[in-house]
Amino acid sequence: MCQHQPLCPTADSADREAARVVAHRPEQGWSLLCNGVVLFEDTGELLPDGQIVAPHRPLTPGRVTTAA
């Protein structure tokens, strides 16, 4: 699918989310990447082969704790 240089990561690469966006529908909460991955705003993904990647964002914002 990817036609530009350097080539985007493939859909089965660990860094697949780094591919370029080819269609963006913020009102529906998803983007289509050039490697065929549909990326949802909740960080879930739908891969071209139909596999689902569950959302993987942190449940709570990161906090820095200090020892007392």
Side-chain angles (χ1 to χ4, degrees):
M1 244 182 155
C2 183
Q3 299 287 324
H4 41 276
Q5 294 295 325
L7 294 176
C8 287
T10 62
D12 58 352
S13 298
D15 59 346
R16 65 181 158 258
E17 295 174 13
R20 287 190 186 181
V21 173
V22 295
H24 181 61
R25 299 294 182 262
E27 69 280 359
Q28 295 177 353
W30 61 268
S31 297
L32 174 64
L33 306 181
C34 74
N35 57 8
V37 173
V38 177
L39 181 63
F40 295 96
E41 82 178 11
D42 70 353
T43 70
E45 300 171 20
L46 178 61
L47 304 183
D49 64 2
Q51 289 184 47
I52 297 170
V53 178
H56 47 276
R57 65 181 173 186
L59 296 176
T60 58
R63 289 185 275 188
V64 177
T65 57
T66 57

Short mmCIF file of all heavy atoms in Angstrom, two decimals:
data_model
loop_
_atom_site.label_atom_id
_atom_site.label_comp_id
_atom_site.label_asym_id
_atom_site.label_seq_id
_atom_site.Cartn_x
_atom_site.Cartn_y
_atom_site.Cartn_z
N MET A 1 0.81 -1.20 0.00
CA MET A 1 0.00 0.00 0.00
C MET A 1 0.86 1.27 0.00
O MET A 1 0.53 2.22 -0.67
CB MET A 1 -0.87 0.00 1.25
CG MET A 1 -2.32 -0.08 1.00
SD MET A 1 -3.24 -0.02 2.55
CE MET A 1 -4.72 0.60 1.89
N CYS A 2 1.90 1.27 0.77
CA CYS A 2 2.75 2.45 0.94
C CYS A 2 3.51 2.75 -0.35
O CYS A 2 4.18 1.89 -0.89
CB CYS A 2 3.72 2.21 2.10
SG CYS A 2 4.75 3.62 2.47
N GLN A 3 3.42 3.99 -0.83
CA GLN A 3 4.07 4.40 -2.07
C GLN A 3 5.16 5.46 -1.86
O GLN A 3 5.76 5.90 -2.82
CB GLN A 3 3.01 4.98 -3.03
CG GLN A 3 1.94 4.00 -3.41
CD GLN A 3 2.42 2.95 -4.38
OE1 GLN A 3 3.22 3.23 -5.24
NE2 GLN A 3 1.95 1.73 -4.21
N HIS A 4 5.39 5.90 -0.62
CA HIS A 4 6.35 6.99 -0.40
C HIS A 4 7.64 6.47 0.22
O HIS A 4 7.71 5.34 0.70
CB HIS A 4 5.73 8.10 0.45
CG HIS A 4 4.89 7.61 1.57
ND1 HIS A 4 3.58 7.27 1.42
CD2 HIS A 4 5.18 7.39 2.87
CE1 HIS A 4 3.09 6.87 2.57
NE2 HIS A 4 4.04 6.93 3.46
N GLN A 5 8.66 7.32 0.20
CA GLN A 5 9.98 6.96 0.74
C GLN A 5 10.26 7.84 1.95
O GLN A 5 9.99 9.03 1.90
CB GLN A 5 11.06 7.18 -0.32
CG GLN A 5 10.94 6.26 -1.51
CD GLN A 5 11.15 4.80 -1.13
OE1 GLN A 5 11.96 4.48 -0.27
NE2 GLN A 5 10.42 3.92 -1.78
N PRO A 6 10.82 7.34 3.01
CA PRO A 6 11.04 5.91 3.24
C PRO A 6 9.70 5.21 3.44
O PRO A 6 8.71 5.83 3.83
CB PRO A 6 11.88 5.87 4.52
CG PRO A 6 11.53 7.12 5.24
CD PRO A 6 11.22 8.15 4.16
N LEU A 7 9.70 3.91 3.18
CA LEU A 7 8.47 3.13 3.32
C LEU A 7 8.00 3.13 4.77
O LEU A 7 8.80 3.11 5.70
CB LEU A 7 8.70 1.70 2.86
CG LEU A 7 9.00 1.51 1.38
CD1 LEU A 7 9.29 0.04 1.10
CD2 LEU A 7 7.86 2.01 0.53
N CYS A 8 6.71 3.15 4.94
CA CYS A 8 6.13 3.08 6.28
C CYS A 8 6.25 1.66 6.83
O CYS A 8 6.36 0.70 6.06
CB CYS A 8 4.66 3.48 6.24
SG CYS A 8 4.42 5.24 5.99
N PRO A 9 6.19 1.52 8.15
CA PRO A 9 6.21 0.18 8.74
C PRO A 9 5.01 -0.63 8.28
O PRO A 9 3.93 -0.08 8.06
CB PRO A 9 6.17 0.43 10.24
CG PRO A 9 6.03 1.88 10.45
CD PRO A 9 6.07 2.57 9.14
N THR A 10 5.20 -1.91 8.15
CA THR A 10 4.10 -2.78 7.72
C THR A 10 3.11 -2.96 8.87
O THR A 10 3.40 -2.65 10.03
CB THR A 10 4.64 -4.16 7.30
OG1 THR A 10 5.27 -4.77 8.41
CG2 THR A 10 5.61 -4.04 6.14
N ALA A 11 1.95 -3.52 8.54
CA ALA A 11 0.89 -3.72 9.54
C ALA A 11 1.30 -4.72 10.61
O ALA A 11 0.75 -4.69 11.71
CB ALA A 11 -0.39 -4.18 8.85
N ASP A 12 2.27 -5.59 10.33
CA ASP A 12 2.69 -6.56 11.34
C ASP A 12 3.95 -6.12 12.09
O ASP A 12 4.47 -6.87 12.91
CB ASP A 12 2.86 -7.96 10.74
CG ASP A 12 3.86 -7.99 9.60
OD1 ASP A 12 4.32 -6.92 9.16
OD2 ASP A 12 4.19 -9.09 9.15
N SER A 13 4.41 -4.90 11.86
CA SER A 13 5.56 -4.36 12.59
C SER A 13 5.14 -3.83 13.95
O SER A 13 4.00 -3.39 14.12
CB SER A 13 6.20 -3.21 11.81
OG SER A 13 6.68 -3.63 10.58
N ALA A 14 6.06 -3.84 14.89
CA ALA A 14 5.77 -3.32 16.23
C ALA A 14 5.46 -1.82 16.18
O ALA A 14 4.68 -1.32 16.99
CB ALA A 14 6.93 -3.59 17.16
N ASP A 15 6.05 -1.10 15.22
CA ASP A 15 5.85 0.34 15.12
C ASP A 15 4.83 0.72 14.03
O ASP A 15 4.89 1.78 13.43
CB ASP A 15 7.17 1.05 14.89
CG ASP A 15 7.87 0.61 13.61
OD1 ASP A 15 7.48 -0.43 13.03
OD2 ASP A 15 8.81 1.30 13.19
N ARG A 16 3.84 -0.15 13.79
CA ARG A 16 2.86 0.06 12.72
C ARG A 16 2.10 1.37 12.84
O ARG A 16 1.65 1.93 11.85
CB ARG A 16 1.88 -1.11 12.66
CG ARG A 16 1.02 -1.26 13.88
CD ARG A 16 0.09 -2.46 13.76
NE ARG A 16 -0.33 -2.89 15.07
CZ ARG A 16 0.18 -3.94 15.70
NH1 ARG A 16 1.08 -4.69 15.12
NH2 ARG A 16 -0.23 -4.25 16.91
N GLU A 17 1.96 1.92 14.04
CA GLU A 17 1.23 3.17 14.23
C GLU A 17 1.98 4.38 13.69
O GLU A 17 1.41 5.46 13.59
CB GLU A 17 0.94 3.38 15.72
CG GLU A 17 0.01 2.34 16.30
CD GLU A 17 -0.15 2.47 17.80
OE1 GLU A 17 0.26 3.49 18.38
OE2 GLU A 17 -0.69 1.54 18.41
N ALA A 18 3.24 4.20 13.30
CA ALA A 18 4.04 5.30 12.75
C ALA A 18 3.78 5.53 11.26
O ALA A 18 4.32 6.47 10.68
CB ALA A 18 5.53 5.02 12.98
N ALA A 19 2.95 4.71 10.64
CA ALA A 19 2.63 4.88 9.22
C ALA A 19 1.84 6.17 9.00
O ALA A 19 1.19 6.67 9.91
CB ALA A 19 1.84 3.68 8.72
N ARG A 20 1.90 6.68 7.78
CA ARG A 20 1.19 7.91 7.44
C ARG A 20 -0.32 7.70 7.42
O ARG A 20 -0.82 6.66 7.02
CB ARG A 20 1.61 8.41 6.07
CG ARG A 20 2.97 8.99 6.04
CD ARG A 20 3.20 9.67 4.72
NE ARG A 20 4.58 10.12 4.62
CZ ARG A 20 5.04 10.77 3.58
NH1 ARG A 20 4.27 11.00 2.54
NH2 ARG A 20 6.30 11.15 3.56
N VAL A 21 -1.04 8.74 7.81
CA VAL A 21 -2.50 8.73 7.77
C VAL A 21 -2.94 9.03 6.34
O VAL A 21 -2.49 10.02 5.75
CB VAL A 21 -3.08 9.77 8.75
CG1 VAL A 21 -4.58 9.89 8.60
CG2 VAL A 21 -2.71 9.42 10.18
N VAL A 22 -3.82 8.20 5.78
CA VAL A 22 -4.35 8.44 4.45
C VAL A 22 -5.82 8.87 4.48
O VAL A 22 -6.32 9.43 3.52
CB VAL A 22 -4.16 7.23 3.50
CG1 VAL A 22 -2.68 6.98 3.26
CG2 VAL A 22 -4.82 5.99 4.04
N ALA A 23 -6.52 8.58 5.56
CA ALA A 23 -7.90 9.05 5.75
C ALA A 23 -8.11 9.25 7.25
O ALA A 23 -7.69 8.43 8.05
CB ALA A 23 -8.89 8.02 5.22
N HIS A 24 -8.74 10.38 7.59
CA HIS A 24 -8.93 10.72 9.00
C HIS A 24 -10.39 11.13 9.19
O HIS A 24 -10.88 12.00 8.49
CB HIS A 24 -7.99 11.87 9.37
CG HIS A 24 -8.06 12.29 10.79
ND1 HIS A 24 -7.77 11.46 11.84
CD2 HIS A 24 -8.38 13.48 11.34
CE1 HIS A 24 -7.91 12.11 12.97
NE2 HIS A 24 -8.27 13.34 12.69
N ARG A 25 -11.07 10.48 10.09
CA ARG A 25 -12.47 10.78 10.39
C ARG A 25 -12.62 11.04 11.89
O ARG A 25 -13.08 10.19 12.64
CB ARG A 25 -13.39 9.63 9.95
CG ARG A 25 -13.36 9.33 8.48
CD ARG A 25 -13.95 10.50 7.69
NE ARG A 25 -13.96 10.22 6.26
CZ ARG A 25 -13.05 10.65 5.40
NH1 ARG A 25 -12.03 11.37 5.82
NH2 ARG A 25 -13.16 10.38 4.12
N PRO A 26 -12.20 12.23 12.35
CA PRO A 26 -12.25 12.52 13.79
C PRO A 26 -13.66 12.47 14.37
O PRO A 26 -13.84 12.11 15.52
CB PRO A 26 -11.64 13.92 13.90
CG PRO A 26 -11.76 14.51 12.54
CD PRO A 26 -11.73 13.37 11.57
N GLU A 27 -14.65 12.81 13.55
CA GLU A 27 -16.03 12.77 14.05
C GLU A 27 -16.49 11.34 14.33
O GLU A 27 -17.40 11.11 15.11
CB GLU A 27 -16.98 13.47 13.07
CG GLU A 27 -17.21 12.76 11.75
CD GLU A 27 -16.10 12.94 10.70
OE1 GLU A 27 -15.10 13.64 10.96
OE2 GLU A 27 -16.24 12.35 9.62
N GLN A 28 -15.83 10.37 13.69
CA GLN A 28 -16.15 8.96 13.92
C GLN A 28 -15.10 8.28 14.79
O GLN A 28 -15.28 7.13 15.19
CB GLN A 28 -16.27 8.23 12.59
CG GLN A 28 -17.43 8.73 11.76
CD GLN A 28 -17.51 8.05 10.40
OE1 GLN A 28 -16.63 7.29 10.01
NE2 GLN A 28 -18.58 8.32 9.69
N GLY A 29 -13.98 8.96 15.05
CA GLY A 29 -12.98 8.44 15.97
C GLY A 29 -11.99 7.44 15.38
O GLY A 29 -11.47 6.61 16.11
N TRP A 30 -11.68 7.54 14.08
CA TRP A 30 -10.73 6.59 13.49
C TRP A 30 -9.92 7.25 12.38
O TRP A 30 -10.30 8.28 11.83
CB TRP A 30 -11.43 5.36 12.94
CG TRP A 30 -12.43 5.61 11.85
CD1 TRP A 30 -13.77 5.83 12.03
CD2 TRP A 30 -12.20 5.69 10.45
NE1 TRP A 30 -14.37 6.03 10.81
CE2 TRP A 30 -13.44 5.95 9.82
CE3 TRP A 30 -11.07 5.56 9.65
CZ2 TRP A 30 -13.56 6.09 8.44
CZ3 TRP A 30 -11.19 5.70 8.28
CH2 TRP A 30 -12.43 5.95 7.68
N SER A 31 -8.78 6.62 12.09
CA SER A 31 -7.91 7.01 10.99
C SER A 31 -7.44 5.75 10.27
O SER A 31 -7.19 4.73 10.91
CB SER A 31 -6.67 7.77 11.50
OG SER A 31 -7.05 8.96 12.13
N LEU A 32 -7.29 5.85 8.95
CA LEU A 32 -6.75 4.76 8.15
C LEU A 32 -5.30 5.10 7.85
O LEU A 32 -5.00 6.18 7.33
CB LEU A 32 -7.53 4.59 6.85
CG LEU A 32 -6.97 3.58 5.86
CD1 LEU A 32 -6.99 2.16 6.44
CD2 LEU A 32 -7.73 3.65 4.54
N LEU A 33 -4.40 4.19 8.18
CA LEU A 33 -2.98 4.38 7.91
C LEU A 33 -2.63 3.75 6.57
O LEU A 33 -3.32 2.85 6.09
CB LEU A 33 -2.14 3.76 9.03
CG LEU A 33 -2.48 4.23 10.45
CD1 LEU A 33 -1.56 3.56 11.45
CD2 LEU A 33 -2.42 5.74 10.57
N CYS A 34 -1.52 4.18 5.96
CA CYS A 34 -1.16 3.69 4.63
C CYS A 34 -0.79 2.21 4.62
O CYS A 34 -0.76 1.59 3.56
CB CYS A 34 -0.06 4.53 4.01
SG CYS A 34 1.56 4.28 4.69
N ASN A 35 -0.56 1.62 5.77
CA ASN A 35 -0.26 0.18 5.83
C ASN A 35 -1.53 -0.65 6.01
O ASN A 35 -1.46 -1.86 6.21
CB ASN A 35 0.76 -0.12 6.94
CG ASN A 35 0.31 0.34 8.31
OD1 ASN A 35 -0.83 0.77 8.49
ND2 ASN A 35 1.20 0.27 9.27
N GLY A 36 -2.70 -0.01 5.93
CA GLY A 36 -3.96 -0.72 6.02
C GLY A 36 -4.54 -0.86 7.41
O GLY A 36 -5.62 -1.41 7.59
N VAL A 37 -3.86 -0.33 8.41
CA VAL A 37 -4.34 -0.40 9.80
C VAL A 37 -5.36 0.71 10.03
O VAL A 37 -5.17 1.84 9.61
CB VAL A 37 -3.15 -0.23 10.79
CG1 VAL A 37 -3.64 -0.11 12.22
CG2 VAL A 37 -2.18 -1.39 10.65
N VAL A 38 -6.47 0.35 10.67
CA VAL A 38 -7.43 1.35 11.12
C VAL A 38 -7.13 1.60 12.59
O VAL A 38 -7.16 0.69 13.41
CB VAL A 38 -8.89 0.86 10.95
CG1 VAL A 38 -9.87 1.91 11.49
CG2 VAL A 38 -9.18 0.56 9.48
N LEU A 39 -6.79 2.84 12.90
CA LEU A 39 -6.40 3.24 14.25
C LEU A 39 -7.56 4.02 14.86
O LEU A 39 -8.02 5.01 14.29
CB LEU A 39 -5.14 4.10 14.19
CG LEU A 39 -4.55 4.59 15.48
CD1 LEU A 39 -4.09 3.42 16.36
CD2 LEU A 39 -3.37 5.51 15.19
N PHE A 40 -8.04 3.57 16.02
CA PHE A 40 -9.17 4.22 16.69
C PHE A 40 -8.66 5.17 17.76
O PHE A 40 -7.58 4.97 18.31
CB PHE A 40 -10.10 3.17 17.30
CG PHE A 40 -10.75 2.31 16.24
CD1 PHE A 40 -10.20 1.09 15.91
CD2 PHE A 40 -11.87 2.75 15.57
CE1 PHE A 40 -10.77 0.29 14.92
CE2 PHE A 40 -12.46 1.96 14.58
CZ PHE A 40 -11.91 0.73 14.26
N GLU A 41 -9.45 6.20 18.06
CA GLU A 41 -8.99 7.21 19.01
C GLU A 41 -8.81 6.66 20.42
O GLU A 41 -8.08 7.25 21.21
CB GLU A 41 -9.90 8.44 18.99
CG GLU A 41 -11.15 8.35 19.78
CD GLU A 41 -11.96 9.64 19.74
OE1 GLU A 41 -11.68 10.54 18.94
OE2 GLU A 41 -12.90 9.72 20.54
N ASP A 42 -9.40 5.53 20.74
CA ASP A 42 -9.18 4.92 22.06
C ASP A 42 -7.91 4.07 22.07
O ASP A 42 -7.65 3.37 23.03
CB ASP A 42 -10.39 4.09 22.50
CG ASP A 42 -10.58 2.80 21.70
OD1 ASP A 42 -9.87 2.60 20.69
OD2 ASP A 42 -11.45 2.00 22.08
N THR A 43 -7.13 4.14 21.00
CA THR A 43 -5.86 3.43 20.76
C THR A 43 -6.04 1.97 20.39
O THR A 43 -5.06 1.25 20.27
CB THR A 43 -4.84 3.55 21.93
OG1 THR A 43 -5.30 2.81 23.06
CG2 THR A 43 -4.56 4.99 22.29
N GLY A 44 -7.26 1.53 20.15
CA GLY A 44 -7.47 0.20 19.59
C GLY A 44 -7.14 0.22 18.11
O GLY A 44 -7.05 1.28 17.49
N GLU A 45 -6.95 -0.95 17.53
CA GLU A 45 -6.58 -1.05 16.12
C GLU A 45 -7.30 -2.22 15.47
O GLU A 45 -7.59 -3.22 16.12
CB GLU A 45 -5.07 -1.27 15.97
CG GLU A 45 -4.23 -0.18 16.57
CD GLU A 45 -2.76 -0.52 16.61
OE1 GLU A 45 -2.32 -1.42 15.86
OE2 GLU A 45 -2.04 0.11 17.40
N LEU A 46 -7.55 -2.08 14.18
CA LEU A 46 -8.05 -3.16 13.35
C LEU A 46 -7.02 -3.37 12.27
O LEU A 46 -6.73 -2.44 11.49
CB LEU A 46 -9.41 -2.81 12.75
CG LEU A 46 -10.03 -3.83 11.83
CD1 LEU A 46 -10.28 -5.16 12.57
CD2 LEU A 46 -11.33 -3.30 11.24
N LEU A 47 -6.42 -4.56 12.23
CA LEU A 47 -5.37 -4.85 11.26
C LEU A 47 -6.00 -5.31 9.95
O LEU A 47 -7.14 -5.78 9.92
CB LEU A 47 -4.44 -5.93 11.82
CG LEU A 47 -3.78 -5.59 13.17
CD1 LEU A 47 -2.81 -6.70 13.57
CD2 LEU A 47 -3.08 -4.25 13.13
N PRO A 48 -5.26 -5.19 8.84
CA PRO A 48 -5.81 -5.56 7.53
C PRO A 48 -6.30 -7.01 7.45
O PRO A 48 -7.22 -7.30 6.69
CB PRO A 48 -4.65 -5.34 6.57
CG PRO A 48 -3.73 -4.42 7.26
CD PRO A 48 -3.91 -4.65 8.72
N ASP A 49 -5.74 -7.90 8.24
CA ASP A 49 -6.16 -9.30 8.19
C ASP A 49 -7.36 -9.59 9.10
O ASP A 49 -7.79 -10.73 9.25
CB ASP A 49 -5.01 -10.24 8.53
CG ASP A 49 -4.50 -10.08 9.95
OD1 ASP A 49 -5.05 -9.26 10.71
OD2 ASP A 49 -3.54 -10.78 10.31
N GLY A 50 -7.92 -8.55 9.72
CA GLY A 50 -9.09 -8.69 10.57
C GLY A 50 -8.79 -8.85 12.05
O GLY A 50 -9.72 -8.86 12.86
N GLN A 51 -7.52 -8.96 12.42
CA GLN A 51 -7.16 -9.07 13.84
C GLN A 51 -7.48 -7.75 14.54
O GLN A 51 -7.36 -6.68 13.96
CB GLN A 51 -5.68 -9.37 14.01
CG GLN A 51 -5.26 -10.74 13.60
CD GLN A 51 -3.79 -10.95 13.90
OE1 GLN A 51 -3.31 -10.64 14.99
NE2 GLN A 51 -3.07 -11.47 12.92
N ILE A 52 -7.85 -7.89 15.80
CA ILE A 52 -8.15 -6.72 16.63
C ILE A 52 -7.04 -6.55 17.65
O ILE A 52 -6.62 -7.51 18.29
CB ILE A 52 -9.50 -6.91 17.35
CG1 ILE A 52 -10.62 -7.00 16.31
CG2 ILE A 52 -9.76 -5.78 18.35
CD1 ILE A 52 -11.95 -7.43 16.89
N VAL A 53 -6.58 -5.32 17.81
CA VAL A 53 -5.63 -4.98 18.86
C VAL A 53 -6.40 -4.15 19.87
O VAL A 53 -6.93 -3.08 19.54
CB VAL A 53 -4.42 -4.20 18.31
CG1 VAL A 53 -3.47 -3.82 19.43
CG2 VAL A 53 -3.70 -5.01 17.23
N ALA A 54 -6.49 -4.64 21.09
CA ALA A 54 -7.25 -3.95 22.14
C ALA A 54 -6.61 -2.59 22.45
O ALA A 54 -5.41 -2.41 22.28
CB ALA A 54 -7.29 -4.80 23.40
N PRO A 55 -7.42 -1.64 22.92
CA PRO A 55 -6.86 -0.35 23.32
C PRO A 55 -5.72 -0.54 24.31
O PRO A 55 -5.78 -1.42 25.17
CB PRO A 55 -8.05 0.36 23.98
CG PRO A 55 -9.25 -0.26 23.34
CD PRO A 55 -8.86 -1.70 23.12
N HIS A 56 -4.68 0.27 24.16
CA HIS A 56 -3.51 0.10 25.01
C HIS A 56 -3.02 1.42 25.60
O HIS A 56 -1.87 1.60 25.87
CB HIS A 56 -2.39 -0.60 24.24
CG HIS A 56 -2.14 -0.04 22.87
ND1 HIS A 56 -2.88 -0.45 21.79
CD2 HIS A 56 -1.27 0.87 22.43
CE1 HIS A 56 -2.44 0.19 20.71
NE2 HIS A 56 -1.48 1.00 21.09
N ARG A 57 -3.96 2.31 25.83
CA ARG A 57 -3.58 3.55 26.51
C ARG A 57 -3.62 3.33 28.02
O ARG A 57 -4.35 2.46 28.51
CB ARG A 57 -4.50 4.69 26.11
CG ARG A 57 -5.93 4.50 26.54
CD ARG A 57 -6.78 5.66 26.10
NE ARG A 57 -8.17 5.35 26.40
CZ ARG A 57 -9.17 6.10 26.05
NH1 ARG A 57 -8.96 7.19 25.37
NH2 ARG A 57 -10.40 5.77 26.36
N PRO A 58 -2.88 4.12 28.77
CA PRO A 58 -2.92 3.96 30.23
C PRO A 58 -4.31 4.29 30.77
O PRO A 58 -5.01 5.15 30.24
CB PRO A 58 -1.88 4.96 30.74
CG PRO A 58 -1.49 5.79 29.59
CD PRO A 58 -1.99 5.16 28.33
N LEU A 59 -4.71 3.58 31.81
CA LEU A 59 -6.02 3.81 32.41
C LEU A 59 -6.09 5.12 33.17
O LEU A 59 -7.11 5.76 33.23
CB LEU A 59 -6.38 2.65 33.34
CG LEU A 59 -6.54 1.30 32.65
CD1 LEU A 59 -6.81 0.22 33.70
CD2 LEU A 59 -7.67 1.35 31.65
N THR A 60 -4.98 5.53 33.78
CA THR A 60 -4.91 6.79 34.49
C THR A 60 -3.71 7.57 34.01
O THR A 60 -2.71 6.98 33.60
CB THR A 60 -4.80 6.58 36.01
OG1 THR A 60 -3.64 5.79 36.27
CG2 THR A 60 -6.02 5.88 36.56
N PRO A 61 -3.78 8.87 34.06
CA PRO A 61 -2.61 9.66 33.64
C PRO A 61 -1.39 9.31 34.49
O PRO A 61 -1.53 8.99 35.68
CB PRO A 61 -3.04 11.11 33.87
CG PRO A 61 -4.52 11.08 34.03
CD PRO A 61 -4.88 9.70 34.49
N GLY A 62 -0.24 9.34 33.87
CA GLY A 62 1.00 9.04 34.62
C GLY A 62 1.24 10.03 35.73
O GLY A 62 0.97 11.22 35.59
N ARG A 63 1.69 9.51 36.84
CA ARG A 63 1.99 10.36 37.98
C ARG A 63 3.40 10.04 38.46
O ARG A 63 3.82 8.88 38.44
CB ARG A 63 1.02 10.13 39.13
CG ARG A 63 -0.37 10.64 38.86
CD ARG A 63 -1.20 10.48 40.07
NE ARG A 63 -1.73 9.12 40.05
CZ ARG A 63 -2.63 8.67 40.89
NH1 ARG A 63 -3.09 9.43 41.83
NH2 ARG A 63 -3.07 7.45 40.80
N VAL A 64 4.06 11.06 38.87
CA VAL A 64 5.38 10.88 39.46
C VAL A 64 5.23 10.84 40.96
O VAL A 64 4.61 11.73 41.54
CB VAL A 64 6.34 12.02 39.04
CG1 VAL A 64 7.68 11.86 39.70
CG2 VAL A 64 6.45 12.09 37.53
N THR A 65 5.73 9.79 41.56
CA THR A 65 5.66 9.70 43.02
C THR A 65 7.06 9.84 43.58
O THR A 65 8.04 9.44 42.96
CB THR A 65 5.05 8.37 43.47
OG1 THR A 65 5.83 7.31 42.94
CG2 THR A 65 3.61 8.23 42.99
N THR A 66 7.12 10.41 44.76
CA THR A 66 8.41 10.57 45.42
C THR A 66 8.38 9.81 46.73
O THR A 66 7.34 9.69 47.39
CB THR A 66 8.72 12.04 45.68
OG1 THR A 66 7.68 12.61 46.46
CG2 THR A 66 8.83 12.81 44.37
N ALA A 67 9.52 9.30 47.11
CA ALA A 67 9.63 8.59 48.39
C ALA A 67 9.59 9.60 49.51
O ALA A 67 10.19 10.65 49.43
CB ALA A 67 10.90 7.76 48.43
N ALA A 68 8.89 9.28 50.57
CA ALA A 68 8.80 10.21 51.72
C ALA A 68 9.93 9.97 52.68
O ALA A 68 10.52 8.96 52.78
CB ALA A 68 7.47 10.03 52.41
#
